[in-house]
Amino acid sequence: MHLKPDGVTPVPRAMLISEFLLRPDFRVAPDRAVFVAAGDRLAHEDGDLVVTRPSGEQRRHPARDSHWICR
């Protein structure tokens, strides 16, 4: 999954995320896989994956690894 440059992306369907691209050349992996439901919004803040539910509730998931991808 690739997060848009504005930092948030709506999830179109339920999915399990084990890593994602923040930019085309920067990869982030949460400590453990994160289940997100349709309607959840994702953001990368202070090194964490932040999931915001449609109700406004937020959950933070620390990243175990983030790194630039050399091409």
Side-chain angles (χ1 to χ4, degrees):
M1 165 175 254
H2 181 84
L3 292 179
K4 293 180 182 175
D6 67 358
V8 290
T9 300
V11 178
R13 62 184 181 279
M15 58 180 52
L16 193 62
I17 297 174
S18 60
E19 64 179 34
F20 61 93
L21 293 174
L22 183 60
R23 293 181 209 66
D25 58 350
F26 192 78
R27 182 176 309 227
V28 178
D31 273 346
R32 44 185 110 112
V34 176
F35 178 77
V36 291
D40 288 354
R41 296 185 67 79
L42 306 176
H44 183 253
E45 298 175 6
D46 300 323
D48 294 342
L49 173 64
V50 180
V51 179
T52 304
R53 305 283 161 127
S55 66
E57 174 191 1
Q58 287 189 336
R59 295 196 179 183
R60 297 183 80 85
H61 303 276
R64 74 171 143 73
D65 184 28
S66 56
H67 57 274
W68 294 99
I69 301 168
C70 297
R71 297 178 190 224

